[in-house]
Amino acid sequence: MDHSVDDDRIRGLDAAHRAAIEFLSSLDDRPVWPRATLAEMLDAFGGPLPAEGLDAEDVIGQIVSRADPGLVAIPGGRFFGFVIGGTHPAALAADWLVSAWDQNSGSALLTPTTVALERVAGRWMLDILGLPESASVGFVTGGQMANFTCLSTARNAVLARVGWNLSEQGLRESPPIRFVVGADRHGSIDRAARFLGIGRTEITVVESDDEGRMRPDALSRVLDTGSGPAIVCLQAGEVHTGAFDDFAALVPIAHEHGAWVHVDGAFGLWAAASESLRPLTAGMSGADSWATDAHKTLNVPYDCGMAIVRDPADSIAAFRTGGDYLIYTSLDPWDVTPELSRRARGVPAWAAMRSLGKDGIAHLIDRLHENAVAMAAGLASIDGIRILNEVGYTQVMFRLDEDDATRALGEAVLVEGTAALTGAEWRGRAALRCSMSSWATTRDDIDRTVDAIRDLVAG
């Protein structure tokens, strides 16, 4: 090898390693929310591309010297916004290897090491979550693509059941699909439906209860009033309240009407790993597909979603391509997702699970729930704050009496910098959401956050 090329690689990696360690070491003290705007960061990195290049070490130096104000302290213990986990140490280290190895992980024949790691990670996950051991597991970018992948498979399968070959006949004159969702489903479900050619007016919405759970009696009424191919989307973990649909009641109702049942479990699927929280997922294993997002509850680096389908034959029917230059094994990664070429994003999932073990994963899930309970108790002790949800999993939602005051508090929390949480609307009123998703969150992080919010409310 040309030693100058080798040296350039090493210098670049050393510079990146030093910068990564400095960033991670700063997490406890740095403001959690960014201190710069997009416009400011565009100015920092923009301008015409110079004619002359730089070696890798200098490129990393330029990035690091300018990036800091626009970075979010997501890997730290006080990022509670959206539903975003931290980065488990073993998963982070494995992710660096993935980039260094640079394996195209669509083909088992081409990249047996990374495909084996992903396949084992999938098997471990199915075992941990109590899902069918023969299911296919496709690694995609996140929850959105996991939902899309599963629902693409569902669309193909339910049309095939009524004699329509989607691959040959297309969608133009296909039988209409009844796409049935809960009133409080995540927006990624509607977005996936749009990608599949299902418009808003074609979506059938089922009533939910006060916590956002689909009502079984309402689902029965909806399915009794029509016929034809149907997909029913259920939810493990409502994004505001953390509530779980009653799978034990809902899945049989859907199957009695011949529907495919999909579970959006971006962060909630992992409740099944905990002995104490597993009852939330009772009946979930009876569905036909499941979507989850390992960079949430499992704390794998972006990006790592998982699309799980009960019968791999349904995945193959939807996604196997026909290129004559491609070489197939019995089940390749490209057979179960829309992608051909991709990085080995499932390797960090293997590393996280191997580092934690089954007991460690259960402890992680339990600790996330315990942190949510502690956060809710701390917030409830602040005069004027009201907790809006049953804190049965990892989500805490709260508000002040007035909408404007609630929104102002949310903005003030981000400016103050101790922690980050994000706003929402719930039942037509402003709310603030606090998601416990990070392995790094300690009780001290919760206390510091509660103290900062108390000061802001008193303020």
Side-chain angles (χ1 to χ4, degrees), residues 16 33 65 82 89 92 99 104 122 140 151 161-162 166 232 244 264 309 392 411 426-427 433:
W33 201 247
S65 67
F82 305 102
L92 172 60
S99 293
N104 183 339
V140 292
L151 292 172
R161 291 174 185 173
V162 295
L166 183 62
V232 173
F244 288 63
D264 173 15
V309 175
E411 293 171 3
W426 182 251
R427 302 302 188 245
R433 292 172 53 257

Side-chain angles (χ1 to χ4, degrees), residues 2 67 74 79 92 136 147 161 179 271 287 295 336 343 363 404 410 422-423:
D2 185 331
I74 290 175
F79 183 86
L92 172 60
S136 66
N147 280 323
R161 291 174 185 173
F179 193 76
H295 73 249
V336 297
R343 76 194 307 272
H363 177 67
D404 288 346
T422 45

Side-chain angles (χ1 to χ4, degrees), residues 28 86 90 94 133 149 157 163 168 176 199 203 217 247 277 320 372-373 396:
D28 194 51
E133 64 179 11
T149 299
E168 295 295 328
I203 295 176
D217 59 330
F247 305 113
L277 296 170
R320 176 165 282 180
V373 171
V396 181

Side-chain angles (χ1 to χ4, degrees), residues 122 125-126 129 131-132 134-139 146-147 149-150 153 260-263 269-270 287-292 305-311 315 336:
M125 181 194 63
L126 295 173
L129 303 185
L131 299 179
S134 60
S136 66
V137 180
F139 287 88
N147 280 323
T149 299
C150 290
T153 305
W260 177 289
V261 180
H262 170 66
V263 176
L269 230 60
W270 295 90
D288 301 289
S289 62
W290 306 262
T292 192
M306 299 171 178
I308 309 157
V309 175
R310 174 178 293 276
D311 187 347
S315 297
V336 297

Side-chain angles (χ1 to χ4, degrees), residues 115-137 139 306 331 350 353:
V115 171
L117 282 162
E118 289 192 341
R119 189 165 295 176
V120 172
R123 289 172 180 166
W124 285 349
M125 181 194 63
L126 295 173
D127 176 56
I128 290 166
L129 303 185
L131 299 179
E133 64 179 11
S134 60
S136 66
V137 180
F139 287 88
M306 299 171 178
L331 185 67
W350 185 96
M353 286 189 276

Side-chain angles (χ1 to χ4, degrees), residues 241-242 244 277 280 369 373 389-395:
T241 68
F244 288 63
L277 296 170
L280 294 171
H369 175 237
V373 171
N389 64 309
E390 301 169 3
V391 186
Y393 190 46
T394 58
Q395 306 301 97

Side-chain angles (χ1 to χ4, degrees), residues 283-307:
M284 182 181 74
S285 63
D288 301 289
S289 62
W290 306 262
T292 192
D293 206 344
H295 73 249
K296 300 186 187 300
T297 316
L298 189 60
N299 281 231
V300 168
Y302 277 102
D303 50 34
C304 189
M306 299 171 178

